[in-house]
Structure formats: C-alpha cells, structure tokens
Amino acid sequence: MSFVPTILLLTTAASVGCWLGFLQGRWLSETKLIKRWLAQIPHEYHEKANHMFHKQGLYALLIGRFLAFVRTLLPVLAGLSELSHRRFQLFNWLSGLLWVGIIVTLGYALNQIPFIKQHEQVVISVLMILPVLLLIGGLIGSIMVYWKHRKALSNKTE
C-alpha cells in the first residue's frame, strides 16, 4: 500500500476501535455493577474526574494513544464519564490521525536508511523479539517487587 491510503485506513481503524470502546463505556455506565462501583467513589472525586476529562480530554486522548494499556482503557473511561459524544469524536479522530501519522511516518523514514534496508530481516526480528523481552523483564521486575513487599510485611509481623 502507498503512504496516504495506509494513513487513512489505519486512522479509520484506530478511531473506530476507540469509538467502540467509548460506546462500551456508555453501555457499561448503565449496568448495576458499574453504578454500584461508582456509588462507592465519593461524589467530589467523580466530579473532579469528569471535570478533568472535560478540561483535559484532548490531551488525555493524544497522550493515551502512545501508551499501550492506557490506549485500551481510556475510551471506556471516556464513555463512563459524561464526555459528550461530539467532543469525544473530535478528539478521537484528531488523536488517531496524529498517532497513525507519527508511527507510519517514523516507520517510512526508518526504512529509508540504507543500513536498515540492507539488514531488514534482522531489524524485523529484533522489533518482534524486543517487546517480548521487555514484557518478560517487566514480569520479572513485578515479581521481585511483590516478593520484596511480602518479605517486608513478614519481617514487620515478626
């Protein structure tokens, strides 16, 4: 695929996926479980969260696109808040275009480097293995922190 259709297709896919998350949040906000959960949160915190989303919604969506787990949860949280559908869609499509544009342009620019072109298979392999190594490192680090926390708690109880 050429550059512009790639940008358009991926922007559409990212924005539609984000919109479905928003709709899921709207649907979930009407369920008894979520209503009970939200009732446990003090009203002023709920108001602060809604106010922040209304005030900082664009920044949250823009920055959230670049953070893996946040990118998944943010649209649902936007749906749970009282963010207007029109405002969400504006931010959704702008952030989707910016995110896809940056990632695709970066990939295209990297592919123009002669060293990368010559060692394309090695680069692709490294880019596939690197996230797995980072995940394993994160899991090991989390387990170590958990064990240290448990050890510190057991030492306090003795």
Side-chain angles (χ1 to χ4, degrees):
M1 265 177 99
S2 62
F3 186 77
V4 173
T6 301
I7 296 284
L8 294 175
L9 179 67
L10 292 177
T11 298
T12 301
S15 298
V16 168
C18 193
W19 177 55
L20 291 174
F22 179 81
L23 292 177
Q24 182 182 21
R26 283 284 165 97
W27 175 77
L28 284 172
S29 69
E30 299 302 319
T31 62
K32 289 180 183 177
L33 177 68
I34 297 298
K35 284 183 179 181
R36 265 194 321 245
W37 178 70
L38 289 174
Q40 300 298 319
I41 299 172
H43 186 69
E44 67 263 7
Y45 292 145
H46 195 270
E47 287 298 319
K48 281 183 182 179
N50 280 334
H51 178 69
M52 187 192 76
F53 221 115
H54 289 315
K55 188 176 177 183
Q56 306 294 334
L58 175 60
Y59 298 119
L61 282 172
L62 285 174
I63 294 168
R65 290 276 186 184
F66 294 91
L67 305 171
F69 297 113
V70 175
R71 179 175 50 241
T72 305
L73 295 175
L74 198 59
V76 177
L77 294 175
L80 285 172
S81 77
E82 296 159 6
L83 188 65
S84 77
H85 194 261
R86 176 181 285 167
R87 185 172 166 92
F88 173 79
Q89 285 297 357
L90 174 68
F91 295 157
N92 177 29
W93 285 86
L94 285 174
S95 67
L97 179 63
L98 182 63
W99 179 59
V100 167
I102 289 171
I103 299 298
V104 171
T105 302
L106 182 62
Y108 180 79
L110 284 175
N111 196 40
Q112 300 308 310
I113 299 171
F115 177 81
I116 304 272
K117 279 186 173 182
Q118 287 176 339
H119 301 93
E120 186 175 347
Q121 287 301 319
V122 173
V123 171
I124 289 172
S125 297
V126 167
L127 289 175
M128 289 174 58
I129 293 170
L130 185 62
V132 174
L133 294 175
L134 291 172
L135 177 65
I136 291 169
L139 288 172
I140 290 171
S142 296
I143 290 169
M144 290 175 64
V145 167
Y146 175 74
W147 281 339
K148 285 181 181 180
H149 179 71
R150 295 259 332 245
K151 186 177 179 181
L153 284 177
S154 68
N155 287 342
K156 282 184 179 179
T157 58
E158 291 178 357

